[in-house]
Structures are given as structure tokens and as C-alpha cells.
Amino acid sequence: MSMSISRAVGAFGIVAAMLAFTACGSQSQSEDSDKIVVYSGRSEELVAPLIEQFTTDTGIEVETRYAGSGEMAAQLLTEGDRSPADVFLSQDAGALGAVSKAGLLAPIDAATLEAVPAQYSAADGTWVGVSGRARVIVYNPTLAPNPPDTIDGLLAPEWKGNIGFAPSNASWQAFVTGLRVLRGEDGAEEWLRAFEAQDPQAYENNVAVRDAVDSGEVALGPVNHYYLYELINSKGADAVTAENQFMAPGDPGGLVNVAGVGVLKSAPNPEGAQAFAAYLVGESAQQYFAEETAEFPLVAGVASSAAIPPLSDLQPPAVDLSQLDDIEATQELLVETGLLTN
């Protein structure tokens, strides 16, 4: 499948924080609260209902601009301190890390950070994870009755020409960045060249990969786990052929990444931005991620969807998510290995 790919820089008890911002005498919240501008690398379909509920619950209006996480990160880097954005809501840690590395993010309020285990937020506190997702191999059981559970298994001759992937997607590029961390530059390049030799079919995004697998256009492909459940919710389980293969313990393909949120240093409404971040790690938002998007909630006491294994049962590779910020070098490597078009 042909496609045009842009080389964008790539690329998550809190109620008190919101109340401190929104409470002001006898006036209503909506009278006291200015709007915030959210640059969202998460799709409108996934997060618009949650953002609407945030406005209902807090009185803070939100203007949301949607694009890919990498594209939004690139726009923020270009705009610098002139950006109108208050908040960057990213699909993955790598894009957040790139913006943080440029010095554009303010510290997240301590109470918000404390709600989430430290491994799912920035080491310097400039962004916080709000939901988790595992990389999996989505497969068509008719075409792939015994799918691999390692990335090296994807290199078997039987999968040549029959793998779908999304080269410009932030989560794919975060996986490659994690591969560089785990196997080193030479090891990552060796795997990517072997993968390219498999003649993988490039798609625009994870949704397209999932749909191609479900329809039998390709046998399998690496995606985030929740895309399958999104399809099941929309079509019904009986109408979906595809299944998820979770990865073997420690395999680089089983990276657990996070969607996360950062507050811009230049935010016109920093209090509203911090309230938004706090809301996303609150119970109602965490339940939304668990029940509506089948992602992993990151806050203690909120259970995952029954359709997926508990986050605690996964054994992902040991990657510090703060190390996923070197997206530009990842993109260069993908271009060099023929997996990404300039």
C-alpha cells in the first residue's frame, strides 16, 4: 500500500487540585474558568467524550486541536514559547519526551504525579502517564494459526510479504526507540534490516493495520492492544476475526507505553492546564480509559477491562519511558533501513 509519510518529530485524591483552581466564592465555575487549548495526539473518537465530561465536571472550556502525536510535537517545537497551547496530550511517551527535552514543559503538580507509579511518568516530572497500552501482534487465525510472540519470530520466512505495520505511527517509532535502548544501535539496525527484507506492507496507522489483518489482506502486524477491542465494540465479537497475541516476557515487541499529558511552560492558562492533567488521573477518567478504550488504568484501585490481562500480569521489557525521547534518531534509522520515506 502506498502512502505519504511526513518526518515529524515523534512521536500521561486528585480532585483537590481541580477544586483549588475552580472554587472561587459564590460564583459559578464556568464564570471563573478560562478555556484551555489542548493539542491532542490522541484521536477525537477516543478522547472527545472524556474532554466533554471534563468541561461538564469542572466548568473549564476546552479547545482541542487534533493531529498525530509526532505532528503535534513538531508543531510545539516550531512554535516554542509562542504556542497557544496549554496542554499536550500525547499518544506516547516519546513525543512528550521530545517536547520536554526542548525545555517546553512545566513541572506537573506533585499530587498529580503521586497518583501514578513513577515508572509511568517523566523522571523530571514534566509529564505524567494517564493510560497504558501494550504492544501486541494482531493476527488473523486463519492465515496465522500459530502467530509468533517475539519480534524475531516475525522474521520467519512464512511471514514474508504478509506483515502489516504503520511506519509513521508514534507507537511504532516508540517501539523502535525502545529496541535501540535494549539492543543498541547495531542490534536495532540489524533487526530493522531483516524486517525490511520481509517486505512488510506499510499502512497509514494502527487502525488500518488492524483492519487489513481482520479482512485477511495480511496475516498479522504489530499494533497497540486496544485497537482490537475498539473494533469488537463497534462491530460485535462475532463479526471480528482478528485476535491479539501478547508478547513473550521481556520481548522488545511487548513494550508497555503510556499516553500522557504535559503542561506547557508558556501555557496561557496554567491553572486550567494543571486541572486538566489532574482530571486525567482521577477515578472517572481512569474508569473511562478502562471501560471505553480498553486501555490499562494507571491509578491504584481502578481495574482493567475484563477483556485484557491485568497490567500487573504483563512482563514487558525493562525500558525507562524517559529514554523514548530520541525520536529523531529513530526516524533517521528507519529512513536508512528503508522503512520510512522522507
Side-chain angles (χ1 to χ4, degrees):
M1 174 177 292
S2 63
M3 55 183 287
S4 173
I5 303 172
S6 170
R7 288 188 63 208
V9 177
F12 205 82
I14 301 304
V15 174
M18 292 187 294
L19 293 178
F21 167 63
T22 56
C24 184
S26 60
Q27 291 180 298
S28 71
Q29 288 176 320
S30 59
E31 291 173 337
D32 296 337
S33 304
D34 296 327
K35 76 173 184 181
I36 60 172
V37 175
V38 174
Y39 279 16
S40 178
R42 309 219 65 193
S43 73
E44 185 171 3
E45 182 180 2
L46 282 177
V47 300
L50 180 59
I51 292 174
E52 291 172 5
Q53 190 61 46
F54 166 76
T55 295
T56 298
D57 291 347
T58 68
I60 302 172
E61 298 292 333
V62 180
E63 176 186 334
T64 311
R65 304 181 186 182
Y66 294 98
S69 292
E71 183 179 346
M72 280 303 187
Q75 184 169 342
L76 287 166
L77 292 174
T78 299
E79 293 172 343
D81 59 11
R82 301 179 306 280
S83 177
D86 295 282
V87 171
F88 178 31
L89 177 58
S90 176
Q91 180 189 5
D92 82 302
L96 281 163
V99 176
S100 176
K101 194 174 183 178
L104 298 179
L105 297 183
I108 295 292
D109 285 348
T112 303
L113 288 171
E114 290 169 3
V116 173
Q119 67 264 36
Y120 300 126
S121 297
D124 63 1
T126 54
W127 56 263
V128 61
V130 299
S131 63
R133 79 283 304 277
R135 294 290 290 175
V136 299
I137 293 174
V138 64
Y139 69 98
N140 187 306
T142 301
L143 301 176
N146 296 298
D149 63 357
T150 67
I151 60 169
D152 294 325
L154 286 171
L155 306 180
E158 63 191 291
W159 308 124
K160 187 167 185 177
N162 219 359
I163 304 170
F165 81 124
S168 64
N169 183 264
S171 59
W172 162 263
Q173 294 184 10
F175 150 68
V176 175
T177 307
L179 184 63
R180 291 171 50 221
V181 171
L182 291 164
R183 294 190 176 179
E185 300 297 332
D186 291 344
E189 181 176 353
E190 179 182 1
W191 186 87
L192 289 168
R193 292 195 182 279
F195 182 73
E196 194 277 335
Q198 288 287 75
D199 189 26
Q201 306 304 299
Y203 292 87
E204 183 177 2
N205 52 39
N206 284 328
V207 170
V209 173
R210 175 204 67 193
D211 291 347
V213 170
D214 188 60
S215 69
E217 187 174 316
V218 291
L220 41 71
V223 297
N224 292 332
H225 79 276
Y226 60 85
Y227 286 99
L228 175 64
Y229 305 108
E230 180 184 89
L231 185 64
I232 290 172
N233 288 339
S234 66
K235 295 178 63 174
D238 291 343
V240 175
T241 300
E243 298 180 19
N244 274 347
Q245 172 73 290
F246 284 83
M247 307 302 281
D251 188 79
L255 177 70
V256 171
N257 203 341
V258 294
V261 64
V263 172
L264 278 299
K265 280 184 180 178
S266 57
N269 185 354
E271 295 87 357
Q274 293 286 355
F276 183 77
Y279 188 85
L280 294 184
V281 300
E283 184 175 359
S284 63
Q286 291 293 294
Q287 288 178 337
Y288 176 89
F289 291 128
E291 297 168 6
E292 300 299 327
T293 68
E295 294 175 88
F296 295 106
L298 299 181
V299 174
V302 180
S304 300
S305 164
I308 62 176
L311 184 58
S312 59
D313 285 0
L314 301 183
Q315 299 181 56
V319 176
D320 180 349
L321 297 181
S322 294
Q323 295 179 282
L324 300 182
D325 61 3
D326 193 10
I327 299 298
E328 188 170 15
T330 288
Q331 292 174 335
E332 291 173 356
L333 181 57
L334 288 169
V335 170
E336 291 171 5
T337 54
L339 291 167
L340 185 63
T341 303
N342 276 308

